[in-house]
Amino acid sequence: SQQGEEDPQALSIQEGENATMNCSYKTSINNLQWYRQNSGRGLVHLILIRSNEREKHSGRLRVTLDTSKKSSSLLITASRAADTASYFCATEPGGYQKVTFGIGTKLQVIP
Amino acid sequence: DTGVSQNPRHKITKRGQNVTFRCDPISEHNRLYWYRQTLGQGPEFLTYFQNEAQLEKSRLLSDRFSAERPKGSFSTLEIQRTEQGDSAMYLCASSLDGRGHEKLFFGSGTQLSVL
C-alpha cells in the first residue's frame, strides 16, 4: 500500500519557472523525504524534513511540512531542463521503520 | 562508497519459472529494503531487513515471494512460479540505522519481464 499521494500527477513548465508539488499522507510520521527518479533508474534522495520542522531549504529546493494537514510541498525554483524527472514523497510512519512512497509527480521542464 | 549494486539489470523469464535477484548494499549499511515499481507508479514496499533479521513483510506479498539476507550483508529476492503480473522493476535500497541516517540509497533496479 502507498502512504502518500502526490499532486499533481504530471506537471509541465518552461525552464526558469518554479515547480510546486504537493504530497498528502495518512498516518502520523517521524519524517518525510523527497526523492527524484530519472526514467528507468533508481531513486535519489533530495531532502528530509522531520515531523517537528515546518520548512527546510537545500539549494533550489524548498520543502514545507504541515503535520496538522498531513501534507508537504516541494518547491523547485528556477527550474532547468535537467530537473525533468519523477518526484516522490516518502514517509516513515511513527513507530514503524518501513519507508513508503507516494505515486509521484512527473515533472517536465521545457527548454 | 561503491553504491548499492543490483544484479541482474534485466531478466526475461517464462511464466511459471523461478527467478532470483541479488542486492549488494553499501557495506556498512545495516538496513535493507526491497521495493517493486510498475510503470507510472511509486515504489511499493515489499520487505525490510535490519541486519539479517527480516522485520517486516508487506501483506500484499504472496507466498511466492521470499527474501533473505544471510549474515546481514547481501540480500536475495526470489519469486517462485512467476506470473505476468510480476513484471516490474525491483528496487533495492539500503541505509544506516538511527536518527540522522534515514536517507535511502537505491540501486538501479532489476527489470523483470514475465512472458
Side-chain angles (χ1 to χ4, degrees):
Chain A
S1 63
Q2 312 218 240
Q3 155 85 307
E5 281 191 19
E6 285 87 342
D7 168 52
Q9 291 190 28
L11 180 60
S12 183
I13 60 174
Q14 296 289 328
E15 201 166 29
E17 294 181 337
N18 295 343
T20 300
M21 290 159 260
N22 302 297
C23 167
S24 59
Y25 56 92
K26 298 171 186 171
T27 64
S28 63
I29 58 171
N30 293 326
N31 63 68
L32 186 144
Q33 304 178 55
W34 284 90
Y35 287 80
R36 164 197 169 123
Q37 184 179 37
N38 288 87
S39 181
R41 307 297 297 273
L43 284 78
V44 175
H45 180 267
L46 294 175
I47 193 165
L48 177 150
I49 187 165
R50 300 194 182 283
S51 59
N52 61 350
E53 296 176 312
R54 291 296 167 258
E55 187 171 314
K56 204 158 183 182
H57 297 256
S58 176
R60 293 185 296 114
L61 305 180
R62 174 180 169 253
V63 170
T64 62
L65 179 63
D66 187 334
T67 53
S68 66
K69 295 181 179 177
K70 291 187 171 59
S71 68
S72 173
S73 67
L74 172 68
L75 169 68
I76 303 174
T77 60
S79 63
R80 304 166 182 168
D83 295 329
T84 294
S86 291
Y87 292 82
F88 298 92
C89 68
T91 54
E92 186 170 345
Y96 293 87
Q97 292 173 317
K98 74 178 192 184
V99 178
T100 56
F101 287 80
I103 59 174
T105 293
K106 191 168 185 177
L107 173 66
Q108 181 185 27
V109 181
I110 302 166
Chain B
D1 177 358
T2 57
V4 178
S5 176
Q6 290 189 249
N7 289 289
R9 189 78 174 87
H10 302 275
K11 179 70 177 178
I12 300 173
T13 191
K14 291 183 179 178
R15 190 176 53 186
Q17 298 293 305
N18 298 345
V19 294
T20 300
F21 310 140
R22 177 177 170 126
C23 172
D24 287 273
I26 293 172
S27 58
E28 65 269 25
H29 284 185
N30 50 0
R31 290 192 180 190
L32 188 146
Y33 297 80
W34 283 100
Y35 293 87
R36 176 173 65 188
Q37 186 179 26
T38 53
L39 200 62
Q41 298 295 312
E44 179 185 13
F45 174 84
L46 293 179
T47 191
Y48 156 66
F49 289 86
Q50 176 99 353
N51 299 311
E52 66 274 11
Q54 187 173 21
L55 295 187
E56 192 149 357
K57 185 175 175 180
S58 169
R59 280 170 285 183
L60 299 174
L61 222 57
S62 75
D63 290 341
R64 295 186 298 107
F65 286 71
S66 63
E68 293 183 342
R69 192 183 182 197
K71 301 178 184 177
S73 55
F74 71 92
S75 176
T76 57
L77 177 68
E78 181 183 17
I79 309 174
Q80 297 181 328
R81 305 181 303 282
T82 53
E83 301 171 357
Q84 287 185 326
D86 297 331
S87 295
M89 173 77 84
Y90 289 83
L91 293 164
C92 175
S94 70
S95 74
L96 286 165
D97 192 23
R99 185 179 172 84
H101 300 289
E102 297 92 340
K103 171 180 172 181
L104 298 186
F105 292 80
F106 279 83
S108 296
T110 293
Q111 182 67 53
L112 173 66
S113 297
V114 181
L115 305 178

